[in-house]
């Protein structure tokens, strides 16, 4: 019985994510990404500083994923449907705390990044892809959360095991982010 319920929840997630992403404008995402990348590159002192700026943004997106997971568990994981305004307020509060925390640890992060650049022989192409991927994932996560709250049949999200449902949502976010970024010409 639970397996059938989980399958229904998975189909529901697939349908909602497909509806959300069919509205996405990859060309617009690409344009925004290129502008952001060029701004970071133009304002950087050198290549290492440019890479640092992209990596700090990636760190920000990774931390936001943890905040999103927490928001999902604290609402849907407890059988609650949050209001859109509550999601937006909480996301903004998390983002401000994350920015502050990253700012306070910036020297530690950049030291770590510098050792990775050398050890992994990091290229601009690799960092730009990771930056774009993390950025699109971030947008999709929060757009999905808000879009989900607007669905009349939202109770389908409560079918099955919530942790499995959350894993499926995250998998679709990764899939669609990859599809989107792979269509972009960023350099």
């Amino acid at each position: 019985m639970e397996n059938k319920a989980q399958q229904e929840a998975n189909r529901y997630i697939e349908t909602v994510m497909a509806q959300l992403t069919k509205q996405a404008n990859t060309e617009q995402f690409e344009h925004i990404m290129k502008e952001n990348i060029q701004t970071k590159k133009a304002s950087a002192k050198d290549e290492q500083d440019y890479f640092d700026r992209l990596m700090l943004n990636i760190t920000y997106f990774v931390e936001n994923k943890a905040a999103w997971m927490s928001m999902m568990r604290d609402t849907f994981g407890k059988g609650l449907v949050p209001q859109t305004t509550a999601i937006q307020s909480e996301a903004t509060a998390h983002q401000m705390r994350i920015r502050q925390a990253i700012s306070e640890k910036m020297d530690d992060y950049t030291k770590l990044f510098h050792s990775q650049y050398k050890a992994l022989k990091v290229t601009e192409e690799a960092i730009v892809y990771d930056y774009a991927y993390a950025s699109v994932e971030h947008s999709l996560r929060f757009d999905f959360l808000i879009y989900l709250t607007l669905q009349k049949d939202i109770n389908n999200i409560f079918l099955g095991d919530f942790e499995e449902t959350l894993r499926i949502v995250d998998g679709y976010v990764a899939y669609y982010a990859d599809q989107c970024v792979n269509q972009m010409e960023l350099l």
Side-chain angles (χ1 to χ4, degrees):
M1 183 73 161
E2 189 173 332
N3 193 19
K4 185 173 176 9
Q6 189 63 55
Q7 289 174 352
E8 288 179 42
N10 295 355
R11 275 193 295 278
Y12 178 70
I13 293 162
E14 179 181 15
T15 301
V16 172
M17 189 63 80
Q19 290 169 349
L20 174 65
T21 57
K22 81 176 179 187
Q23 300 171 25
N25 183 338
T26 301
E27 291 170 359
Q28 184 180 12
F29 268 132
E30 180 179 339
H31 178 72
I32 292 167
M33 287 295 137
K34 281 182 174 177
E35 281 185 351
N36 291 344
I37 291 163
Q38 282 309 113
T39 299
K40 289 176 190 334
K41 193 172 196 174
S43 65
K45 298 179 294 199
D46 54 29
E47 183 179 66
Q48 181 171 284
D49 185 41
Y50 165 54
F51 285 5
D52 289 349
R53 291 166 190 251
L54 292 171
M55 290 296 293
L56 286 167
N57 277 131
I58 292 168
T59 302
Y60 168 79
F61 296 133
V62 168
E63 293 298 324
N64 269 284
K65 177 181 179 178
W68 176 82
M69 292 282 213
S70 176
M71 289 171 65
M72 290 290 287
R73 285 185 178 109
D74 291 346
T75 55
F76 293 105
K78 294 179 179 174
L80 306 171
V81 177
Q83 296 293 318
T84 302
T85 54
I87 292 168
Q88 291 167 330
S89 294
E90 190 169 340
T92 300
H94 278 294
Q95 290 168 0
M96 289 171 57
R97 285 190 295 273
I98 291 165
R99 279 189 185 99
Q100 181 65 35
I102 289 173
S103 169
E104 291 171 2
K105 298 177 193 170
M106 194 175 318
D107 289 340
D108 295 335
Y109 281 124
T110 54
K111 284 177 189 168
L112 176 64
F113 299 156
H114 297 168
S115 66
Q116 290 175 342
Y117 301 154
K118 291 175 185 157
L120 301 174
K121 297 180 177 140
V122 173
T123 64
E124 178 182 15
E125 185 177 315
I127 289 182
V128 164
Y129 174 86
D130 289 349
Y131 165 76
Y133 179 83
S135 179
V136 172
E137 261 196 332
H138 171 73
S139 294
L140 272 173
R141 273 189 206 97
F142 285 96
D143 287 351
F144 176 80
L145 182 53
I146 290 170
Y147 189 71
L148 182 62
T149 64
L150 303 174
Q151 303 307 304
K152 289 181 176 128
D153 55 354
I154 193 169
N155 286 333
N156 287 324
I157 197 76
F158 299 118
L159 301 171
D161 174 67
F162 179 75
E163 286 301 317
E164 177 64 11
T165 298
L166 188 56
R167 190 185 70 72
I168 296 297
V169 171
D170 195 47
Y172 276 111
V173 165
Y175 171 78
Y176 282 107
D178 188 58
Q179 295 298 308
C180 181
V181 174
N182 282 326
Q183 295 177 38
M184 295 181 188
E185 291 283 332
L186 297 169
L187 294 175

